[in-house]
Amino acid sequence: MSAVGNGNNIFWHNCPVGKPEREKLLDQKGCVVWITGLSGSGKSTVACSLSKELHARGKISYVLDGDNLRHGLNKDLSFSAEDRVENIRRVGEVARLFADAGLICIASLISPYRRDRDFCRELLPEANFIEVFMNMPLELCEARDAKGLYKLAREGKIKGFTGIDDLYEPPLNCEIELRQNDGVCPTPCAMAKQIVAYLEEKGFLEA
Amino acid sequence: MSAVGNGNNIFWHNCPVGKPEREKLLDQKGCVVWITGLSGSGKSTVACSLSKELHARGKISYVLDGDNLRHGLNKDLSFSAEDRVENIRRVGEVARLFADAGLICIASLISPYRRDRDFCRELLPEANFIEVFMNMPLELCEARDAKGLYKLAREGKIKGFTGIDDLYEPPLNCEIELRQNDGVCPTPCAMAKQIVAYLEEKGFLEA
């Protein structure tokens, strides 16, 4: 089907079972918890921990991990500037679908630029996008270096690595900031509970 | 982050809460119901009806509609042959994520070619891809022409329209075939119930 007037042939179908009905069934509200931060800041660990905490409360969540999606939906994308934007756009669009399905969607991506994160925020109804900033010092992330990527970046074997030779733009108005207390990083479980408390307070854990 | 040896820097994260845990919480099994057929064959209607039937049984499903996704995730894609393949690939990948989340994902797309549908089937564990063929006569679909697209195709204003000047390859081994009985099309509700009966029989409606 070729496009006559590009897009004129695309229709929109509405179903009688919508987001509110699914939310009632699940006794929760669909939303996106978007975890941003440097490589090694603990995004994936917190995402899993949050998923576990929510599950223990009978709430259904799903983790969209930037790395994992590059094995599937986004495996056609490179690490060029353009493809990184597209990578984040697609994760944002899929996160929107999961929130619409009534799930608490936990997206875990470096997502270094404000404009890309804001694009994803704007896909969702107000307040349904909860930006979580893993505000960990570069030194801590680099010292962890679980994937050995900082080492490669320092050696110049990886170019455009966030925090080394590419910019990370910290959120200006994120909903949740996770950081060290007196130089000590909270446990993943403690950080997850901080997010759960926010979700509870805002009414996402009931229909 | 540029790719050293393309893909070597992409890691896989596993979470303690996986598909089986989510399925137990939801008391159902995640799967993909893939509805294929001509434009006007009733795919979207059956998808919605199925969603309603499942919801009435306390089961959570989510409809991925080919048309709707072209407003979001796939809005960068045209109707060129290449982009239509990519359109289906992405829907398949997203459907896989929803099934992994534990939902009954209902994908509704013309998806005219066997190789594209088979690609999506192979993304999923055996038996978790349920292909539903809307086997309705072209004459019926064209007579309905709810979107006015057949008229445009006959007038040559749309090129490569499935069923008119582009091929539809019927499934060879689909799980479910929906068709007329003695020249009468079953109601959407009756067709949805046929799919529900299949899901029940195969154990998808319990954990």
Side-chain angles (χ1 to χ4, degrees):
Chain A
M1 195 192 306
S2 52
V4 173
N6 200 18
N8 288 339
N9 300 334
I10 312 174
F11 294 79
W12 185 271
H13 301 277
N14 271 316
C15 268
V17 179
K19 188 171 188 260
E21 288 75 24
R22 287 185 288 268
E23 290 177 333
K24 199 170 170 202
L25 184 62
L26 297 170
D27 193 27
Q28 62 183 49
K29 288 194 196 85
C31 61
V32 174
V33 175
W34 190 277
I35 307 179
T36 172
L38 295 173
S39 178
S41 62
K43 296 182 299 299
S44 297
T45 308
V46 167
C48 285
S49 206
L50 174 58
S51 181
K52 203 173 141 194
E53 288 294 327
L54 289 169
H55 192 266
R57 284 164 175 79
K59 304 303 167 187
I60 180 94
S61 65
Y62 192 65
V63 175
L64 294 178
D65 186 286
D67 281 353
N68 292 7
L69 287 176
R70 281 199 176 265
H71 292 273
L73 178 65
N74 296 339
K75 73 174 158 194
D76 56 319
L77 300 175
S78 74
F79 288 90
S80 71
E82 192 186 21
D83 277 7
R84 291 167 88 175
V85 170
E86 173 64 5
N87 184 52
I88 295 172
R89 184 191 76 83
R90 287 191 203 166
V91 177
E93 292 282 6
V94 174
R96 162 162 71 163
L97 296 174
F98 272 98
D100 186 51
L103 273 68
I104 298 167
C105 181
I106 307 164
S108 161
L109 293 92
I110 297 176
S111 48
Y113 303 129
R114 270 178 218 128
R115 64 165 184 273
D116 297 331
R117 297 193 301 265
D118 287 348
F119 171 87
C120 296
R121 178 185 288 274
E122 278 155 32
L123 292 175
L124 284 138
E126 181 65 25
N128 282 12
F129 186 89
I130 299 135
E131 195 171 348
V132 178
F133 175 31
M134 300 296 298
N135 189 5
M136 301 297 160
L138 174 64
E139 301 70 40
L140 175 70
C141 301
E142 189 167 359
R144 287 173 178 166
D145 206 13
K147 307 174 189 172
L149 297 177
Y150 282 100
K151 186 169 179 290
L152 292 172
R154 290 289 184 196
E155 291 168 359
K157 290 176 184 163
I158 303 178
K159 303 286 181 201
F161 193 80
T162 302
I164 304 298
D165 58 344
D166 204 13
L167 194 65
Y168 179 83
E169 297 177 339
L172 297 176
N173 289 298
C174 62
E175 280 72 12
I176 300 170
E177 185 179 346
L178 300 175
R179 56 186 307 156
Q180 294 184 306
N181 299 318
D182 301 321
V184 178
C185 186
T187 64
C189 180
M191 293 189 280
K193 282 183 173 162
Q194 189 178 331
I195 303 174
V196 169
Y198 179 94
L199 294 173
E200 193 149 45
E201 188 202 324
K202 299 293 180 183
F204 288 104
L205 304 189
E206 59 192 359
Chain B
M1 196 193 305
S2 52
V4 174
N6 200 18
N8 287 338
N9 300 334
I10 312 173
F11 293 79
W12 187 270
H13 302 276
N14 271 315
C15 269
V17 178
K19 188 170 188 260
E21 289 75 24
R22 287 185 288 268
E23 290 178 333
K24 200 172 169 199
L25 183 62
L26 297 170
D27 193 27
Q28 63 184 49
K29 287 194 196 84
C31 61
V32 174
V33 176
W34 190 279
I35 307 179
T36 172
L38 294 173
S39 178
S41 62
K43 296 182 298 299
S44 298
T45 308
V46 167
C48 285
S49 205
L50 174 58
S51 182
K52 202 174 141 196
E53 287 295 326
L54 289 169
H55 191 266
R57 284 164 174 79
K59 304 304 167 187
I60 181 92
S61 65
Y62 192 66
V63 174
L64 295 178
D65 186 287
D67 281 353
N68 291 7
L69 287 176
R70 282 200 176 262
H71 293 273
L73 177 66
N74 295 341
K75 75 173 155 195
D76 57 317
L77 299 176
S78 74
F79 287 91
S80 71
E82 192 185 22
D83 276 7
R84 291 169 88 176
V85 171
E86 173 64 6
N87 183 52
I88 295 172
R89 185 191 74 84
R90 288 191 202 166
V91 176
E93 291 282 5
V94 173
R96 162 163 69 166
L97 295 174
F98 272 98
D100 186 50
L103 274 68
I104 297 167
C105 182
I106 307 164
S108 160
L109 291 95
I110 298 176
S111 48
Y113 302 129
R114 270 179 217 127
R115 63 165 183 273
D116 297 331
R117 298 192 302 265
D118 287 348
F119 172 87
C120 296
R121 178 186 289 273
E122 278 155 30
L123 292 174
L124 284 138
E126 181 64 25
N128 283 12
F129 185 90
I130 299 135
E131 195 172 348
V132 178
F133 174 31
M134 300 295 298
N135 188 6
M136 301 298 161
L138 175 63
E139 301 69 41
L140 174 70
C141 301
E142 189 167 356
R144 287 174 178 165
D145 206 13
K147 307 175 189 171
L149 297 178
Y150 282 101
K151 185 169 179 291
L152 292 172
R154 289 288 183 196
E155 291 168 358
K157 291 176 183 162
I158 302 178
K159 303 285 182 202
F161 193 80
T162 302
I164 304 298
D165 58 345
D166 204 15
L167 194 64
Y168 179 82
E169 297 176 340
L172 298 176
N173 288 299
C174 62
E175 280 72 11
I176 299 171
E177 185 177 345
L178 299 175
R179 57 186 306 153
Q180 295 183 305
N181 299 319
D182 301 321
V184 178
C185 186
T187 64
C189 180
M191 292 189 280
K193 282 184 173 162
Q194 190 177 332
I195 304 174
V196 169
Y198 180 93
L199 294 173
E200 193 147 45
E201 188 201 326
K202 298 294 180 181
F204 288 103
L205 304 189
E206 59 191 359

